[in-house]
Amino acid sequence: MAGSNKDNAKISLADSGRPLWLVSELSYRCPLQCSYCSNPVDFSRHKAELNTEQWVDVFKQARELGTVQLGFSGGEPAVRKDLEELIQEARAMGFYTNLITSMVGVSEARLGRILDSGIDHIQVSFQAADASLNDLIAGTECFEHKIKMCKAIKAAGLPMVLNVVIHKGNIDQIEQIIQFAEELDADYLELATAQYYGFALLNRDRLLPSRAQLTRAEKIAKQYQDSLAGKMKIFYIIPDYYEKKPKPCMHGWGKVFLTVAPDGTALPCHSARELPGIDFPNVVGNNLSDIWYESSAFNHFRGDHWMKETCRSCPEKDKDFGGCRCQAYLLAQDAEEADPACEKSPHHHLMEEAISASEAKPFGEGLIYRNSANSKLFLK
Amino acid sequence: MNTAIKFRNAYVLNSGFRLQWEKAQDSYVLLYPEGMVQLSFSASEVLLLCDGKNTAAEVITVLEEKFPDAEGLAVDVKEFLQEAIDNGWLE
Ligand code: SF4
Ligand code: SF4
């Protein structure tokens, strides 16, 4: 489940500078083909995967650095046969373990083993509130199965967290999605905007909702947030294309988050490997403390020394850190520029243009699905 | 809707929440799905007592005995408990 994001992670603490959050992308393999996947479009180039021992070693080092939250993500983390073992090891070290999964390919018996391994929280992704749209978006039949799995998670006494990536194709269903989550007795519902990196960026014209769609959805989400307060927590995140201020991406580069890609590449954020000219260190052969504190990659966008004048002279820079580096690079072709989502950015017009371009295109037809055939097209 | 604190209730952390001592941060943290709150000393003293056996009234009494010099403690604890209930930490 690489469609949503961790920008909404709920962290409140005195600024520590420690990697409090480790996202372990266990594998880029995935049975789904979501067109909003934020995995790198050339993911099929990175086939190598760390083995069990190597992951356990990464967890150990992270724990020593003070990491508390551990996410198992991907691709689909459950494609790894050693998932249970990894959870067990991590749990024993004192991590709070989060599994971010589509549940596709996970049998009931397997879920039982995952629950037994001591997982603290399982987040199940849905694509829509009804079988036909869900399965169309996912590129596979999985709706009924997901429902069954959610019930089993709840029965095991774990919080039930549903995540739905919201885009042009399902945003008008927002009310049904919320009601569906309520029927399932979910504790949390994350209505997360697609993040326009990787495949999602390729498909942006066909995914980005219109202003009218957003306004309507926001109103509905707000109503339910109020009426369901104390029962189900709804997180609703709108695309920053419609904002005037950028989001404080990853709470700052190399400040809280550490992502380790399937092949062991250490990244300050899961899409950072798309940035040119930065040599991201691998956990094989480098110790994690050096990577976090010393490596040039993790220091690259720390602080404000790298900023262009727009951000450097701006009072907001300690709050939003100039926004997202990947978005600056992908849209403004300059990773050191202000995030174009910012109205002060000289490239802010790109956001407006993207919105207009997407209003002209319908959802569906022409979407590029995330699969290895399409990924190979992007290998140069 | 959110509920007001009842002093006869014995509160306990909601499912998915875990209170844990973190050496690196030299404090207790509250962990929950994709989230984490670093707790102040007093907040952790309160939450440690919310074990599903102590009633809210008892939590206050225990803390008053433990910190006899703390002024206005009962009010502070009550406010914090209410906040913890509103945040969905306690049930
Ligand atoms: S294809 Fe879909 S389920 Fe698979 S990693 Fe991408 S977003 Fe997640
Ligand atoms: S100019 Fe830079 S620092 Fe200021 S609000 Fe925009 S992105 Fe943030």
Side-chain angles (χ1 to χ4, degrees):
Chain A
M1 221 340 273
S4 86
N5 62 60
K6 294 286 148 285
D7 289 329
N8 58 329
K10 299 146 278 275
I11 288 186
S12 89
L13 8 90
D15 220 356
S16 68
R18 257 180 241 116
L20 293 170
W21 242 109
L22 170 64
V23 179
S24 304
E25 294 183 333
L26 296 183
S27 175
Y28 280 140
R29 289 175 284 152
C30 184
L32 299 197
Q33 309 185 10
C34 309
S35 53
Y36 52 72
C37 186
S38 62
N39 278 168
V41 289
D42 61 351
F43 72 88
S44 65
R45 185 211 303 257
H46 311 288
K47 281 222 181 74
E49 289 182 12
L50 297 183
N51 63 30
T52 315
E53 254 161 77
Q54 288 168 319
W55 276 119
V56 173
D57 185 46
V58 171
F59 300 162
K60 244 184 230 144
Q61 294 184 56
R63 195 70 186 105
E64 272 162 29
L65 292 178
T67 307
V68 193
Q69 288 280 355
L70 175 57
F72 294 100
S73 152
E76 170 53 59
V79 301
R80 291 276 302 220
K81 302 230 162 23
D82 56 357
L83 176 64
E84 293 89 320
E85 191 181 341
L86 294 175
I87 295 169
Q88 212 169 358
E89 292 276 358
R91 191 62 184 73
M93 292 177 207
F95 282 106
Y96 191 91
T97 50
N98 306 270
L99 175 61
I100 318 295
T101 174
S102 70
M103 281 290 160
V104 174
V106 179
S107 67
E108 259 172 289
R110 178 90 196 277
L111 175 61
R113 292 197 296 275
I114 292 174
L115 291 167
D116 288 343
S117 67
I119 191 81
D120 291 293
H121 150 229
I122 302 178
Q123 178 186 298
V124 181
S125 66
F126 275 81
Q127 282 66 33
D130 67 76
S132 58
L133 184 57
N134 183 87
D135 298 350
L136 173 81
I137 297 173
T140 173
E141 257 178 56
C142 54
F143 189 69
E144 298 300 332
H145 175 73
K146 282 168 185 276
I147 293 181
K148 209 155 129 203
M149 294 288 136
C150 283
K151 289 187 173 153
I153 292 170
K154 186 88 186 181
L158 264 66
M160 193 205 291
V161 184
L162 305 190
N163 177 291
V164 185
V165 174
I166 298 293
H167 47 75
K168 190 186 286 189
N170 62 7
I171 191 166
D172 293 331
Q173 257 206 356
I174 194 151
E175 185 153 20
Q176 288 93 306
I177 293 174
I178 297 171
Q179 286 167 355
F180 167 73
E182 199 192 344
E183 271 162 39
L184 272 179
D185 209 6
D187 299 287
Y188 300 80
L189 171 64
E190 295 191 1
L191 301 167
T193 174
Q195 273 193 302
Y196 295 101
Y197 312 119
F199 282 91
L201 182 59
L202 288 177
N203 289 311
R204 188 181 60 194
D205 288 354
R206 294 184 161 77
L207 292 175
L208 189 66
S210 71
R211 204 177 287 275
Q213 282 185 308
L214 269 178
T215 312
R216 177 178 173 274
E218 212 170 342
K219 215 171 110 204
I220 296 172
K222 182 79 191 50
Q223 276 165 8
Y224 279 93
Q225 272 169 338
D226 294 344
S227 69
L228 296 177
K231 186 164 182 282
M232 178 170 86
K233 252 202 162 103
I234 303 175
F235 297 97
Y236 175 71
I237 302 135
I238 73 162
D240 57 4
Y241 280 67
Y242 286 94
E243 306 264 34
K244 292 193 168 69
K245 291 255 157 67
K247 46 186 186 189
C249 194
M250 309 313 286
H251 298 258
W253 179 274
K255 261 188 133 172
V256 179
F257 282 92
L258 169 63
T259 295
V260 177
D263 64 355
T265 305
L267 303 164
C269 106
H270 66 281
S271 56
R273 77 192 308 164
E274 298 196 55
L275 296 170
I278 304 178
D279 191 14
F280 291 104
N282 197 291
V283 295
V284 181
N286 295 290
N287 86 48
L288 212 56
S289 171
D290 288 347
I291 291 176
W292 181 261
Y293 291 106
E294 313 294 342
S295 74
S296 60
F298 277 77
N299 283 300
H300 203 98
F301 294 115
R302 270 193 183 132
D304 56 14
H305 63 91
W306 53 271
M307 285 181 178
K308 292 270 164 76
E309 193 46 35
T310 331
C311 289
R312 197 187 301 221
S313 57
C314 174
E316 296 291 313
K317 68 179 177 189
D318 299 322
K319 281 184 224 136
D320 67 22
F321 320 107
C324 173
R325 295 304 90 223
C326 303
Q327 193 147 278
Y329 168 66
L330 291 169
L331 301 185
Q333 269 85 50
D334 184 349
E336 286 159 16
E337 266 294 354
D339 185 332
C342 176
E343 62 181 342
K344 291 189 194 165
S345 154
H347 301 94
H348 189 59
H349 62 95
L350 294 171
M351 295 306 201
E352 290 296 330
E353 283 160 29
I355 292 171
S356 315
S358 71
E359 297 207 326
K361 294 247 174 62
F363 176 77
E365 187 194 334
L367 280 172
I368 300 168
Y369 287 90
R370 175 217 192 266
N371 54 41
S372 45
N374 280 336
S375 173
K376 284 181 185 124
L377 291 176
F378 295 97
L379 297 184
K380 283 164 216 138
Chain B
M1 289 313 282
N2 289 330
T3 44
I5 177 171
K6 293 193 190 67
F7 289 99
R8 269 179 302 166
N9 275 11
Y11 290 98
V12 65
L13 286 181
N14 237 318
S15 79
F17 284 72
R18 196 159 91 215
L19 188 61
Q20 180 168 307
W21 174 256
E22 277 302 301
K23 199 170 66 182
Q25 295 171 46
D26 197 27
S27 66
Y28 276 93
V29 293
L30 186 64
L31 302 169
Y32 52 98
E34 302 200 330
M36 161 165 52
V37 179
Q38 190 172 19
L39 296 170
S40 66
F41 174 74
S42 41
S44 57
E45 286 288 316
V46 178
L47 288 184
L48 283 167
L49 289 169
C50 295
D51 55 0
K53 292 187 203 104
N54 295 318
T55 63
E58 282 162 353
V59 170
I60 296 175
T61 319
V62 173
L63 290 171
E64 276 179 330
E65 278 164 19
K66 194 167 171 187
F67 304 102
D69 299 334
E71 252 172 71
L73 181 139
V75 177
D76 290 350
V77 174
K78 185 185 159 230
E79 274 175 12
F80 174 74
L81 282 172
Q82 184 64 57
E83 209 183 296
I85 295 165
D86 293 345
N87 286 335
W89 300 351
L90 293 174
E91 64 175 5

